[in-house]
């Protein structure tokens, strides 16, 4: 995760606004029936007796500070030691799995990380894979939450025999990540090579931060669906059944995508403490971080459909194509790399923390029969006087030449908005539109609120 300097200031200010720790009563829901056309292939409803561990024929406890032969501190800089103790990982007798990070009197943290024994959860050719869990994120905020990092995710099967030393090429799908007790959720695909590469590692291809109201201390469903029945293939992320982020296979080259996703996965549930991701948002832990605030998991489930033979074109996000000549909100992107979302002073959200190499993808943009005159971006920048960059428009591939671009330097503030036009080549028909961002400096140089093409 890239660490934007202005984000650290915002996060530090947020962390300073008090702290709260409240535990909620457990809630037990049944594992849902399989979606239409799919079958349930694995589930756990965590109905064991209070204080008991997991069924080890289904679950593997990853203990210590890293995989055998793998990177130290799980490769992320987190500081806890994972254990199989029922002090850290246990069933509560009310239908939930509890993963609880604990700090001892010497300041050392322990926590829990559990993985499915099975590594064969895969989307068959022409079929689908869905992973879902009902989770209550740790109910802790402010300074007390500094360093908390709960997650529900999956790693490619080939990671297990070699301690994940082949990461990120073998694929990592982050279905739920939360850091520092923020009321939000992040999702991502990690792939390709590290650092940088086609998937912008170590950030990955990410949703950015998405609002998750009420997710701290109450149960919500988090799901990922990998769909190989459409072309291009789709990786979709859901919060309470709402599809809030979609990646398509044309976001990267076919070799990178296939290596990351055309194989089995195993699921992981854990609560880390510290590391690079919380640090990017001003996290800790610190002496004020509260010990013992758990993540609760009501159930996990994996569904698969049988394979098919002829992929079909996917339904565009929202069910309709995008009108190139209507305002397209920046936060409605279908895929992205290196960006975040934040509240916009003009209403709604804007895409933020954009730097060299970051990009946004908008699918199914319809230009009709042509007559495009120019392109307008609603932008803001609080970058220093020596920092500037280009906002570029490309069609159908990030490697294609830009059809238009404009240069941007500071506008006087990250929420000081201005509309900047740029001439573009004439375009007809429907296209995938990429906005790419180029700068000679590594610092963030632009925020984006919306885009619009004009005739």
């Amino acid at each position: 995760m890239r660490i934007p300097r202005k984000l650290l200031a915002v996060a530090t200010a947020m962390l300073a606004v008090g702290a709260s720790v409240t535990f909620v009563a457990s809630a037990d829901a049944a594992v849902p029936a399989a979606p239409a056309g799919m079958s349930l292939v694995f589930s756990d409803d965590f109905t064991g007796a209070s204080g008991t561990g997991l069924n080890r024929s289904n679950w593997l406890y990853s203990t210590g500070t890293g995989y055998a032969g793998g990177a130290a501190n799980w490769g992320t800089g987190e500081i806890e030691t994972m254990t199989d103790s029922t002090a850290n990982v246990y069933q509560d007798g009310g239908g939930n799995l509890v993963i609880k990070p604990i700090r001892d009197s010497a300041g050392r943290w322990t926590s829990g990380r559990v993985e499915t024994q099975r590594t064969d959860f895969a989307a068959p050719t022409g079929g689908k894979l869905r992973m879902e869990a009902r989770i209550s994120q740790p109910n802790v905020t402010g300074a007390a939450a500094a360093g908390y990092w709960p997650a529900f995710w999956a790693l490619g099967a080939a990671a297990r025999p070699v301690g994940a030393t082949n990461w990120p090429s073998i694929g990592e799908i982050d279905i739920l990540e939360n850091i520092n007790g923020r009321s939000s959720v992040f999702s991502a695909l990690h792939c390709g090579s590290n650092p940088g590469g086609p998937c912008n590692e170590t950030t990955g291809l990410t949703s950015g931060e998405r609002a998750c109201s009420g997710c701290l201390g109450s149960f919500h469903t988090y799901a990922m669906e990998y769909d190989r029945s459409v072309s291009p293939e789709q990786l979709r992320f859901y919060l309470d059944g709402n599809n809030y982020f979609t990646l398509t296979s044309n976001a990267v080259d076919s070799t990178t995508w296939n290596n990351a996703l055309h194989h089995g996965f195993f699921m992981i549930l854990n609560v880390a403490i510290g590391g690079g991701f919380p640090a990017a948002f001003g996290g800790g832990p610190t002496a004020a971080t509260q010990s013992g605030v758990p993540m609760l998991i009501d159930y996990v489930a994996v569904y698969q459909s049988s394979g098919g033979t002829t992929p079909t074109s996917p339904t565009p996000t929202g069910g309709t194509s995008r009108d190139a000549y209507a305002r397209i909100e920046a936060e409605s992107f279908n895929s992205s790399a290196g960006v975040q979302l934040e509240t916009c002073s003009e209403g709604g959200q804007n895409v933020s923390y954009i730097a060299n190499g970051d990009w946004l993808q908008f699918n199914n943009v319809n230009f009709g029969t042509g007559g495009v005159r120019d392109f307008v971006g609603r932008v803001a920048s609080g970058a220093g006087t020596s920092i500037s960059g280009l906002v570029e428009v490309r069609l159908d591939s990030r490697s294609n030449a830009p059809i238009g671009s404009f240069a941007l330097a500071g506008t006087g503030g990250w929420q000081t908005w201005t509309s900047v036009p740029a001439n573009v080549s004439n375009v007809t028909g429907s296209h995938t539109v990429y906005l790419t961002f180029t700068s000679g400096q590594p610092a963030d140089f632009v925020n984006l609120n919306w885009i619009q093409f004009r005739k």
Side-chain angles (χ1 to χ4, degrees), residues 10 24 34 37 49 87 92 103 108 110 128 188 269 308 358 387 391 397 412 418 440:
V10 172
V24 298
D92 67 0
R103 181 177 55 208
R108 297 171 301 224
T110 57
K128 299 178 184 179
L269 296 158
D358 296 347
I387 299 170
V391 178
S397 172
T418 185

Side-chain angles (χ1 to χ4, degrees), residues 356-367:
N356 181 57
D358 296 347
W359 53 267
L360 302 173
Q361 176 183 332
F362 301 90
N363 294 348
N364 306 295
V365 179
N366 186 2
F367 292 86

Side-chain angles (χ1 to χ4, degrees), residues 29-32 43-46 95-97 132-135 219 221 297-301 303:
V31 174
S43 67
D44 199 327
D45 208 10
F46 305 116
N96 303 308
L97 170 66
E132 179 178 317
R134 188 168 182 260
I135 293 173
F219 284 94
T221 59
I297 303 95
D298 181 15
Y299 67 77
V300 295
Y303 308 91

